[in-house]
Amino acid sequence: MAPSKKTTKEVTPVAEPPKTYKREKLQELEQKAQTRWDQEKLFEINAPGPDEPADPKFMATFPFPYMNGLLHLGHSFSLSKVEFAVAYERMKGKRALFPFGFHVTGMPIKACADKLKNEIKMFGEDFSGYAQKSNPTAESEPEVEEEQKPAENGVDPTKIVKKHGKAAAKKTGDKYQFQIMRSMGVPNEEIKKFADPIYWLYYFPPLAIEDLKRFGAHVDWRRSFITTDVNPYFDSFVRWQFNQLKSSTPPRVAFGERYTIYSPLDGQPCMDHDRSSGEGVGVQEYTGIKLQVLVDDVVSQPEAERDTVKGLPVGQKIASAEILKALGGRKVFLVAATLRPETMYGQTNCYVGVDIEYGVYAVNNEEAWVCTERAARNMAYQGLFEERGVMKKLADLKGWDLVGMPLKAPLSPFDKVYTLPMEGVLETKGTGVVTSVPSDSPDDYVTLQDLLKKPAYYNVQTKWIEPFLPPRPIIDTPNFGNLAAVKAVKDLKINSQKDKPALKEAKELVYKEGFYNGVMLVGNQAGKSVQEAKPLVRAQLIQIGEAFPYCEPEGLVISRSGDECVVTLAPQWYMDYGEASWKKLAEECLSGMETFSTETRNAFEKNLDWLGQWACSRSFGLGSRLPWDQQYLIESLSDSTIYMAYYTVAHMLHGGVLDGSKPGSAGIAASDMTDAVWSYILLNGPYPSDTKIPQATLDKLRREFEYFYPLDLRCSGKDLVTNHLTFFIYNHTAIFPKEKWPKAVRANGHLLLNGDKMSKSTGNFLTIRQALDIYGADATRFALADAGDGMEDANYLDKTADEAILKLFTEKEWMEEVLKEAEEGKLRTGPLTWNDRVFEAELAKLVADADKAYQSMLYREAVKVAFFELTNARGEYRKATMGSNVASGSDDEKFERMHKDLVLKYIEIQALVLAPITPHWSEHIWSDLLKKPQSIQRARWPSIQAPADSEALLAAAGYVRGLGSRIRSTEDQASKKKAKKGAARAAPVDPDAPRTLRLYVGSTFPSWQDEALAVLKETWDEAAQALKGNEKELLAKKGLMKNKQVMPFVVAMKQSIEQLGPKAFDRQLPFDELETLEANLDFIRRDLSGLKISRVEVLVKESLKVGEGGVDGDDVKKAESAYIEIQALVLAPITPHWSEHIWSDLLKKPQSIQRARWPSIQAPADSEALLAAAGYVRGLGSRIRSTEDQASKKKAKKGAARAAPVDPDAPRTLRLYVGSTFPSWQDEALAVLKETWDEAAQALKGNEKELLAKKGLMKNKQVMPFVVAMKQSIEQLGPKAFDRQLPFDELETLEANLDFIRRDLSGLKISRVEVLVKESLKVGEGGVDGDDVKKAESAVPGHPQYRII
């Protein structure tokens, strides 16, 4: 039953937001604008008619949201990307279409409805029964009580109230579905209706439309729809889609038995969108190994004669009369799950977790298997037991009940092995039983060693272990020999099961070595590689009945109905993703798509590499049925791959009626939308001879599709790359011709709220409706645009939204005020002044910058330019023409005032460039203030002609505006310096006396700068558009390196060249400096009024003569340094006041340092090596002291420091260990990075992870930190970083500085320093012991290790 229209508006707000005048005024403007847009149908976009010009088009979509609740702020973040893009493209003259549908396919809605059915049975239709069974006080006010509790769970209630108390944060910990419905504002009396899943389809979509209209979304609502067979038009489209896929060559949909994640409660596969947790978890396939429990051996031996475990006879429980009776003569097997069936030749025992609960499960009348209940549940649904889905438990056992039991292990060289205890056996992974191969499993080998060392502690008998050691070789490897586990344990110095990190590393090393390089030594496959033998051994074991295929989920998966999922082997329809020819098409599509970031493209490529078959059918839920197999429904990720094409014609089929219950303008019945009709519209097929629909009508539908397709942009959260967005690519390539493939996908990160993850459970959560109530639409949109643009998580800040309200309101008020002044004739008219032309140039530049930001979909940058920089430019213009925020020299000072035309132009531009982000505010400015006849939604992007000398104007304006700031800063520093010396105590005679500012300008640069710049020009590679990097050599040849000012200048110039290219070589100012200063004397005076400047003079350095025009020696002296002012402008160096003090005051030099020349000193030929060696030696002591200090603090924390050494003042020896080689894994990783170096681009390609994985290097946990560090080094140094050899002799350097190192470490009581070479160490020689060898192992060139003895 569908709710009435009245009902859809009865969502009860939990609390009213506080009333604020400014927000409410902006919200009034929003309502007014929305009413106008709706009345004028401004967002209803059609394809051009046959006789209309074919305007450019832009179609963008957002994945339709699932309608089991209200839209939240996370939805609005992703859809805002589409919203801003569509609004911008519309302003660029395109027919920009933003359609929006609603997804209701799948299990979530049905699962919620089923929960409500149960809750109604439990508590009644009004749920009053719940209050009687719980605390009635707590239930009466769940929202308030829960939200304002003390922070028991780490939740700060004041923080929640600050964030969302204004609009009611979600209640934490809602247990029942009816409570969740209440928290969404659904009236209590209406909740019972949601027990019907269809009711959801009619309740939440209208609310979403209402919210998005309030948001100001540019959506053509005529094209909206809901999915499933409730909408017969969409249902026919999905059926056509799947018929197309099935009839493809090869077929893209196939049928067969396959392993899939399955919900026993729901009775069907549980795909990603059917899960409440575990999205992305796949199937892990094992080989189940059957180890027969030799029950008869135990039974035949009297209990008194058996070995004991914890004082009890072995097998007392499993060999009891009760269990033997339950077994009914069945053979009993411990079943272990392994990923390495080829190693079964080396089995020596089996492990169990002693505290794990096991069950004995009947497989059939002949066998019973021992495993965990979780594993048995998976097995039952894989057809391994007699009755699918049924577990027949014969007995319960604890792990201790199995320890000591004799077993027969398949392929093992031993007739009998034993069950032993092991720490860390997981109940949540595998079967809880672990078969042991100590030759090739470090965990197994170390556990046996532990048991052998402490048999009494572990309650085992040594005779269960000793006969099976040492392990027997079964696989030979080049790097780890034929006992890989033994060598790895020894190499990594692993001492027990508790060395978890080292064991993990050893396991990875051994597995990689065995799989990629191992050769079988035993069995039928001896001589074959492990890769070749592995499937053959597995097949052999399964064939002889000693193993079976076993699967389980890779991790915990919970369905929407709350069921823990299993893996089942079921016949089902599946999408054949990954099939070679189809994958090739998908890769071709991706290669031609814009992804806006390398990260997104890499994610797609990675997903295409691993994605395989995907179950597309289910038995229950909501959806469309497979057209050829009506017992199955199409799952939710499979009916949502090409529906964007449906948008193009939906308005004509059912015109905004979401369920398609009424035909649209085309007048077509849903039953007439046959496959042939869809093919005519979407695939340019032949006109169907048996259709009732006139061809002219179908031609209109075809024209809509042909015009709007292909899709120009798809925006989504990054989490959908792994499923929906990749399916989207696959299905488009399967059905449509290449010219209709999607053109762009933009993926964004998740949205944080005030820096924290959005979560209903913590109350850090906002629906769109709540955000609109608190902030209004434009402030919300403003904060969303400012939240972030990349694949990293974005951050929506309450503070930004709050400030946006204030900023937009204040700007609106200023515009209203200045427009009133314009009407009253208070603004200037006539020719443009210098300040006007500067403002005009800034407007033109900022319009271009905003255009670039919108085009690149960088909306944070768009906000920065379109609002902040534009209002700042207006502020500077007011400051220059009206003296705003600047003190004047007298009360009657005259200002030129702002120019009317430019003020109007600014207001118009501000409204237009902000219109995509704050459309309601812009509409008010455009229509109500500027009195434009048409809505701003019909306006075009602003066009403004920049002055011909725009670049010079902008540079000159920046120069003038920065001058006052620099002078104030310099004077402030000088004042502080004087005060520090005590000079400030003598107050000036008249602190208020007017002062004159003399500015000295120079027309030339120092000759050494010109020479250095000429060298840089010489190293410029025009083809590569980059410097060659050999400037130091050329500078040295010309003797310029002797001047200490040269290198800082060169570094700064290189940075400028990297940013600007060869233009940076031209350092001449693009404006006349003297003319600019003289034109702005009044502005400079007013800007420096705080320094009591009453007059500004400009003097040219080259024209100064003492005695003329009041010029004295100090003027000439100051002018000598005029080039520094120019240099400060173009390069921003540091003014050397301190050096002047040292030179003149301390060294008593007669002339200023500005007249001095740098001394000539020839650097040694091996200068670079000497400097590197000096840095190495000087840093050594610091590193050792820091390490010792940390070690001392650590000991003190543990209490070890309480025992003082016998003689703390006794002299100590420092042993330094140096290494001459790097670890092989570092060399291998570096070789991979070299392989990814692009010489032409002078950059890494970014595919190193893939290559490292192929070479097996990713299994070494040290590799990635090393690679990250090397990448940073390569980014800084280029290919030079690949050469890691030191530029100096490390051993020679250390030996030459032994005394310095000893003195530097005197605080550690070091009296002697020794240097030892790692590769030459031998225990027993020269006092070297085992600790020396151990310490020296990690020494590499440039990074010595040490030991203090």
Side-chain angles (χ1 to χ4, degrees):
M1 174 184 173
S4 66
K5 289 185 179 179
K6 179 181 178 183
T7 311
T8 64
K9 297 180 181 178
E10 290 180 353
V11 174
T12 307
V14 184
E16 286 294 326
K19 296 185 181 298
T20 64
Y21 173 77
K22 293 177 182 179
R23 183 196 67 203
E24 289 172 0
K25 282 297 179 185
L26 293 177
Q27 287 175 324
E28 287 175 12
L29 302 181
E30 291 166 3
Q31 293 170 6
K32 181 180 177 182
Q34 289 161 13
T35 300
R36 177 180 183 178
W37 299 340
D38 198 43
Q39 289 173 348
E40 296 184 18
K41 303 183 185 303
L42 291 176
F43 304 142
E44 294 183 5
I45 311 298
N46 298 311
D51 301 324
E52 294 181 79
D55 299 328
K57 65 90 182 178
F58 181 80
M59 180 182 175
T61 62
F62 160 79
F64 44 24
Y66 197 79
M67 285 289 98
N68 60 345
L70 298 172
L71 296 178
H72 57 71
L73 207 59
H75 289 119
S76 70
F77 178 63
S78 291
L79 71 85
S80 72
K81 306 301 182 186
V82 180
E83 170 68 9
F84 301 152
V86 166
Y88 166 73
E89 296 293 348
R90 180 188 181 107
M91 296 182 75
K92 299 296 283 187
K94 298 178 182 178
R95 295 195 185 211
L97 176 63
F98 182 9
F100 201 100
F102 302 98
H103 204 200
V104 293
T105 303
M107 280 299 296
I109 286 176
K110 186 176 187 307
C112 292
D114 289 345
K115 287 179 184 177
L116 278 174
K117 286 179 184 177
N118 292 331
E119 290 167 19
I120 289 170
K121 290 178 183 178
M122 293 167 62
F123 308 126
E125 289 190 343
D126 62 353
F127 308 100
S128 58
Y130 175 77
Q132 295 166 8
K133 296 181 181 181
S134 59
N135 184 338
T137 304
E139 178 58 16
S140 63
E141 292 183 340
E143 306 298 332
V144 176
E145 291 297 321
E146 288 296 330
E147 286 306 328
Q148 298 187 7
K149 271 186 177 180
E152 295 173 0
N153 301 316
V155 179
D156 182 352
T158 60
K159 186 176 182 183
I160 295 173
V161 171
K162 166 65 182 82
K163 289 177 177 176
H164 311 123
K166 298 183 266 185
K170 293 295 180 184
K171 174 182 180 293
T172 60
D174 284 331
K175 178 180 179 181
Y176 292 104
Q177 186 64 42
F178 80 85
Q179 293 174 316
I180 295 171
M181 305 305 289
R182 286 178 180 175
S183 73
M184 288 192 288
V186 179
N188 193 64
E189 64 272 13
E190 194 161 4
I191 294 176
K192 62 186 178 184
K193 299 176 184 178
F194 288 84
D196 176 4
I198 301 301
Y199 193 79
W200 297 68
L201 280 55
Y202 291 90
Y203 188 88
F204 285 112
L207 293 178
I209 292 173
E210 183 182 315
D211 290 346
L212 290 174
K213 283 185 175 181
R214 282 186 63 197
F215 183 72
H218 291 54
V219 172
D220 184 348
W221 294 111
R222 301 172 304 156
R223 300 173 186 265
S224 299
F225 60 89
I226 56 174
T227 60
T228 75
D229 53 9
V230 169
N231 183 328
Y233 292 96
F234 182 74
D235 185 59
S236 70
F237 171 79
V238 173
R239 285 188 280 107
W240 166 81
Q241 173 192 348
F242 270 77
N243 281 330
Q244 288 292 317
L245 292 169
K246 190 170 184 292
S247 62
S248 296
T249 305
R252 304 309 187 189
V253 183
F255 187 80
E257 279 200 337
R258 58 189 300 278
Y259 290 107
T260 189
I261 307 291
Y262 178 85
S263 167
L265 180 61
D266 299 332
Q268 63 180 359
C270 185
M271 309 313 291
D272 275 3
H273 282 190
D274 300 325
R275 304 173 186 177
S276 63
S277 67
E279 186 169 346
V281 172
V283 173
Q284 176 65 66
E285 186 169 356
Y286 294 97
T287 301
I289 302 298
K290 296 163 60 178
L291 297 96
Q292 185 176 355
V293 182
L294 302 179
V295 179
D296 291 344
D297 287 16
V298 176
V299 172
S300 64
Q301 190 176 17
E303 284 192 359
E305 298 178 12
R306 296 181 203 166
D307 294 322
T308 61
V309 175
K310 299 185 73 173
L312 298 175
V314 167
Q316 184 183 53
K317 187 166 183 179
I318 197 170
S320 66
E322 181 184 355
I323 291 183
L324 290 176
K325 181 180 178 181
L327 288 173
R330 294 179 177 88
K331 292 181 179 179
V332 182
F333 295 87
L334 293 186
V335 287
T338 182
L339 295 171
R340 304 194 65 189
E342 75 282 3
T343 66
M344 294 303 97
Y345 293 103
Q347 291 180 91
T348 60
N349 61 283
C350 172
Y351 291 119
V352 293
V354 294
D355 295 318
I356 291 177
E357 300 281 350
Y358 294 90
V360 182
Y361 297 92
V363 178
N364 47 42
N365 291 330
E366 285 77 39
E367 293 185 7
W369 294 352
V370 178
C371 60
T372 61
E373 182 177 352
R374 178 188 148 279
R377 190 164 178 255
N378 276 276
M379 293 172 187
Y381 284 96
Q382 290 166 37
L384 296 173
F385 294 167
E386 198 164 49
E387 185 177 353
R388 182 179 288 269
V390 176
M391 296 181 293
K392 184 179 179 181
K393 185 188 282 189
L394 304 176
D396 289 304
L397 298 170
K398 287 280 283 189
W400 280 118
D401 297 327
L402 296 168
V403 173
M405 289 297 294
L407 308 166
K408 175 62 179 173
L411 302 185
S412 172
F414 304 102
D415 294 332
K416 182 190 298 185
V417 298
Y418 292 91
T419 311
L420 301 174
M422 184 184 207
E423 296 176 0
V425 177
L426 298 175
E427 195 168 359
T428 56
K429 187 174 183 180
T431 62
V433 177
V434 180
T435 187
S436 172
V437 183
S439 59
D440 290 83
S441 169
D443 292 283
D444 298 345
Y445 177 69
V446 167
T447 301
L448 284 181
Q449 298 301 313
D450 280 358
L451 298 181
L452 203 54
K453 290 174 189 173
K454 300 179 180 180
Y457 175 80
Y458 288 105
N459 291 286
V460 297
Q461 305 291 325
T462 57
K463 64 182 179 181
W464 299 342
I465 304 168
E466 288 177 336
F468 307 98
L469 292 177
R472 299 190 182 187
I474 57 170
I475 295 172
D476 189 37
T477 65
N479 296 311
F480 286 87
N482 58 18
L483 290 173
V486 178
K487 186 174 190 313
V489 167
K490 181 180 179 182
D491 289 351
L492 295 177
K493 297 180 173 53
I494 300 171
N495 297 314
S496 77
Q497 301 173 70
K498 300 186 187 303
D499 294 340
K500 300 296 184 186
L503 273 171
K504 183 180 178 183
E505 181 183 355
K507 182 178 179 180
E508 291 172 352
L509 290 171
V510 170
Y511 182 85
K512 178 193 76 171
E513 179 72 7
F515 183 76
Y516 290 105
N517 302 317
V519 176
M520 299 297 296
L521 296 175
V522 297
N524 298 339
Q525 313 305 328
K528 292 180 180 177
S529 70
V530 167
Q531 292 186 59
E532 184 181 1
K534 184 172 187 167
L536 298 175
V537 174
R538 183 176 193 264
Q540 174 191 343
L541 284 165
I542 293 172
Q543 184 179 8
I544 62 177
E546 294 187 335
F548 56 92
Y550 168 68
C551 296
E552 64 184 29
E554 293 171 323
L556 181 65
V557 177
I558 303 296
S559 73
R560 297 276 184 177
S561 56
D563 184 31
E564 182 176 345
C565 294
V566 298
V567 169
T568 189
L569 182 62
Q572 60 185 177
W573 292 98
Y574 60 87
M575 307 292 291
D576 200 13
Y577 298 135
E579 186 275 325
S581 64
W582 200 4
K583 179 180 177 183
K584 186 176 180 181
L585 290 174
E587 290 172 336
E588 183 183 353
C589 178
L590 176 61
S591 68
M593 274 173 45
E594 172 62 67
T595 60
F596 297 92
S597 76
T598 303
E599 191 177 357
T600 301
R601 185 170 299 281
N602 290 342
F604 269 119
E605 289 172 349
K606 180 180 178 182
N607 205 47
L608 286 173
D609 278 344
W610 72 260
L611 183 63
Q613 298 170 352
W614 182 272
C616 63
S617 62
R618 63 157 56 84
S619 301
F620 305 105
L622 302 175
S624 295
R625 297 197 172 273
L626 277 173
W628 62 85
D629 196 345
Q630 295 281 316
Q631 66 176 312
Y632 291 112
L633 290 160
I634 298 167
E635 66 94 23
S636 60
L637 278 169
S638 298
D639 77 344
S640 56
T641 55
I642 64 163
Y643 68 88
M644 312 88 203
Y646 183 77
Y647 281 135
T648 64
V649 296
H651 64 304
M652 297 181 69
L653 294 178
H654 50 85
V657 180
L658 296 181
D659 65 355
S661 56
K662 294 180 182 178
S665 60
I668 300 173
S671 58
D672 292 334
M673 293 303 295
T674 63
D675 283 2
V677 167
W678 280 113
S679 292
Y680 180 83
I681 298 167
L682 303 179
L683 295 180
N684 210 22
Y687 176 69
S689 58
D690 59 349
T691 186
K692 303 175 187 176
I693 308 169
Q695 186 169 0
T697 301
L698 292 184
D699 286 344
K700 289 180 182 178
L701 273 71
R702 177 189 278 184
R703 184 162 60 248
E704 288 283 329
F705 171 75
E706 289 292 335
Y707 177 74
F708 282 113
Y709 238 58
L711 184 66
D712 295 284
L713 175 68
R714 182 88 166 151
C715 290
S716 168
K718 61 185 179 183
D719 52 308
L720 294 189
V721 171
T722 56
N723 44 53
H724 162 71
L725 291 174
T726 303
F727 300 171
F728 159 77
I729 292 175
Y730 261 114
N731 280 265
H732 271 83
T733 62
I735 292 175
F736 296 109
K738 187 174 180 179
E739 62 271 16
K740 298 298 182 187
W741 291 356
K743 297 170 73 173
V745 167
R746 189 189 191 286
N748 53 260
H750 299 124
L751 185 68
L752 304 177
L753 186 53
N754 296 314
D756 294 324
K757 181 180 178 181
M758 281 185 63
S759 169
K760 293 180 183 178
S761 64
T762 63
N764 193 46
F765 186 79
L766 270 184
T767 63
I768 294 180
R769 177 163 296 208
Q770 290 170 328
L772 295 173
D773 288 341
I774 299 170
Y775 310 112
D778 282 341
T780 298
R781 294 167 67 109
F782 192 103
L784 287 169
D786 188 64
D789 294 305
M791 279 275 275
E792 68 278 1
D793 290 346
N795 189 19
Y796 180 97
L797 294 170
D798 282 341
K799 180 183 176 184
T800 302
D802 281 331
E803 290 177 349
I805 295 172
L806 178 62
K807 293 178 188 299
L808 292 171
F809 186 85
T810 302
E811 186 69 1
K812 174 185 76 71
E813 281 199 321
W814 178 84
M815 290 177 175
E816 290 169 347
E817 180 183 335
V818 78
L819 286 171
K820 183 179 179 182
E821 290 181 3
E823 288 180 7
E824 295 172 351
K826 294 181 179 178
L827 299 184
R828 178 170 48 85
T829 58
L832 300 183
T833 65
W834 186 84
N835 285 314
D836 294 335
R837 294 175 63 245
V838 167
F839 188 41
E840 188 178 36
E842 286 183 309
L843 291 178
K845 178 182 182 299
L846 292 174
V847 166
D849 290 348
D851 195 19
K852 183 179 179 182
Y854 278 116
Q855 194 170 8
S856 303
M857 297 189 73
L858 299 175
Y859 299 119
R860 175 182 280 174
E861 180 68 15
V863 166
K864 174 174 167 282
V865 174
F867 186 81
F868 293 102
E869 292 187 9
L870 202 54
T871 53
N872 184 65
R874 184 259 292 162
E876 291 290 346
Y877 179 53
R878 289 181 67 203
K879 180 178 172 181
T881 59
M882 299 181 68
S884 299
N885 301 320
V886 177
S888 61
S890 63
D891 293 338
D892 60 351
E893 184 161 0
K894 303 295 184 183
F895 299 98
E896 65 181 63
R897 301 191 67 78
M898 296 187 293
H899 197 288
K900 178 181 178 181
D901 294 345
L902 282 175
V903 168
L904 295 176
K905 189 67 176 176
Y906 162 79
I907 294 174
E908 182 176 308
I909 286 171
Q910 178 81 93
L912 289 169
V913 296
L914 267 182
I917 293 169
T918 58
H920 310 89
W921 182 87
S922 292
E923 184 68 74
H924 170 68
I925 304 303
W926 184 261
S927 298
D928 298 337
L929 301 189
L930 294 176
K931 310 298 183 186
K932 301 287 185 180
Q934 289 190 316
S935 167
I936 198 168
Q937 298 299 335
R938 298 185 187 276
R940 293 291 175 260
W941 187 258
S943 174
I944 180 169
Q945 184 65 45
D949 57 345
S950 181
E951 185 178 342
L953 285 168
L954 293 173
Y959 168 87
V960 171
R961 292 168 186 170
L963 189 61
S965 174
R966 189 162 61 85
I967 291 173
R968 279 191 297 273
S969 175
T970 303
E971 290 298 305
D972 185 52
Q973 290 176 19
S975 176
K976 289 177 181 177
K977 188 175 179 182
K978 287 178 182 178
K980 192 173 182 180
K981 290 182 176 181
R985 294 172 191 164
V989 176
D990 185 359
D992 294 322
R995 305 164 77 190
T996 297
L997 171 70
R998 283 188 172 176
L999 296 170
Y1000 309 99
V1001 298
S1003 58
T1004 59
F1005 292 98
S1007 59
W1008 63 265
Q1009 287 192 7
D1010 292 333
E1011 292 176 48
L1013 197 60
V1015 168
L1016 282 176
K1017 279 186 181 179
E1018 194 177 334
T1019 69
W1020 175 256
D1021 186 330
E1022 186 63 31
Q1025 286 290 290
L1027 295 167
K1028 296 175 184 175
N1030 60 332
E1031 67 277 352
K1032 285 186 181 179
E1033 177 186 347
L1034 298 178
L1035 289 166
K1037 284 183 179 179
K1038 294 180 182 293
L1040 289 168
M1041 294 292 282
K1042 299 173 184 179
N1043 183 345
K1044 70 173 183 178
Q1045 295 172 293
V1046 165
M1047 278 315 295
F1049 169 75
V1050 167
V1051 168
M1053 281 305 304
K1054 285 179 69 177
Q1055 292 173 346
S1056 182
I1057 292 164
E1058 286 171 5
Q1059 293 173 3
L1060 304 175
K1063 286 194 299 183
F1065 289 123
D1066 182 7
R1067 290 194 299 152
Q1068 293 304 314
L1069 297 177
F1071 57 90
D1072 187 306
E1073 185 178 17
L1074 184 61
E1075 181 183 298
T1076 298
L1077 287 170
E1078 289 178 341
N1080 285 277
L1081 295 181
D1082 282 342
F1083 173 81
I1084 296 168
R1085 173 180 55 77
R1086 292 194 301 268
D1087 197 23
L1088 293 171
S1089 59
L1091 298 177
K1092 308 301 179 183
I1093 302 297
S1094 62
R1095 175 180 172 81
V1096 180
E1097 299 176 353
V1098 183
L1099 304 177
V1100 179
K1101 178 182 75 171
E1102 289 79 5
S1103 304
L1104 290 182
K1105 292 183 180 178
V1106 177
E1108 293 186 9
V1111 173
D1112 58 19
D1114 285 338
D1115 289 313
V1116 175
K1117 183 178 178 182
K1118 276 286 185 182
E1120 289 285 343
S1121 61
Y1123 77 89
I1124 296 178
E1125 292 186 4
I1126 296 174
Q1127 187 171 350
L1129 290 170
V1130 296
L1131 296 175
I1134 300 172
T1135 305
H1137 300 99
W1138 181 84
S1139 296
E1140 183 68 65
H1141 167 67
I1142 303 301
W1143 181 263
S1144 301
D1145 299 338
L1146 301 188
L1147 296 178
K1148 310 298 184 184
K1149 297 288 185 181
Q1151 289 186 314
S1152 166
I1153 197 171
Q1154 302 302 331
R1155 296 181 182 274
R1157 293 292 177 265
W1158 184 249
S1160 175
I1161 179 170
Q1162 182 64 45
D1166 57 347
S1167 179
E1168 185 177 347
L1170 286 168
L1171 292 172
Y1176 167 89
V1177 171
R1178 292 166 186 168
L1180 189 61
S1182 174
R1183 185 162 65 88
I1184 292 173
R1185 280 191 298 273
S1186 175
T1187 304
E1188 290 297 302
D1189 184 52
Q1190 290 176 19
S1192 177
K1193 288 178 181 177
K1194 191 173 180 181
K1195 288 179 182 177
K1197 192 174 182 181
K1198 290 182 177 180
R1202 294 171 190 164
V1206 177
D1207 185 0
D1209 295 320
R1212 306 162 81 192
T1213 297
L1214 170 71
R1215 283 189 172 176
L1216 293 170
Y1217 311 100
V1218 297
S1220 59
T1221 59
F1222 293 98
S1224 59
W1225 61 265
Q1226 285 192 10
D1227 292 334
E1228 292 177 48
L1230 196 61
V1232 167
L1233 283 176
K1234 280 186 180 178
E1235 193 176 335
T1236 69
W1237 176 257
D1238 187 329
E1239 187 62 34
Q1242 286 290 288
L1244 296 168
K1245 297 175 183 174
N1247 60 332
E1248 66 279 350
K1249 285 186 180 178
E1250 177 186 348
L1251 298 177
L1252 289 166
K1254 284 184 179 178
K1255 294 180 183 292
L1257 290 168
M1258 292 293 281
K1259 297 175 183 177
N1260 184 344
K1261 67 179 180 181
Q1262 297 172 291
V1263 165
M1264 278 314 296
F1266 169 75
V1267 167
V1268 169
M1270 282 305 304
K1271 284 179 69 177
Q1272 292 173 345
S1273 181
I1274 293 164
E1275 286 171 4
Q1276 293 173 2
L1277 303 175
K1280 288 194 295 184
F1282 290 122
D1283 181 8
R1284 293 193 295 155
Q1285 292 304 313
L1286 297 177
F1288 57 90
D1289 186 305
E1290 186 175 16
L1291 183 61
E1292 180 184 299
T1293 298
L1294 287 171
E1295 290 177 340
N1297 287 277
L1298 295 180
D1299 283 342
F1300 171 80
I1301 296 168
R1302 174 180 54 77
R1303 291 194 302 271
D1304 194 27
L1305 293 171
S1306 59
L1308 297 177
K1309 310 299 181 186
I1310 302 299
S1311 63
R1312 175 180 171 81
V1313 180
E1314 299 175 354
V1315 183
L1316 305 176
V1317 179
K1318 176 178 73 172
E1319 288 78 8
S1320 304
L1321 292 181
K1322 291 183 181 178
V1323 176
E1325 291 186 8
V1328 173
D1329 58 21
D1331 287 336
D1332 288 312
V1333 175
K1334 187 175 181 180
K1335 273 285 186 183
E1337 280 184 345
S1338 55
V1340 295
H1343 296 277
Q1345 299 300 309
Y1346 76 92
R1347 176 188 176 201
I1348 297 176
I1349 56 177

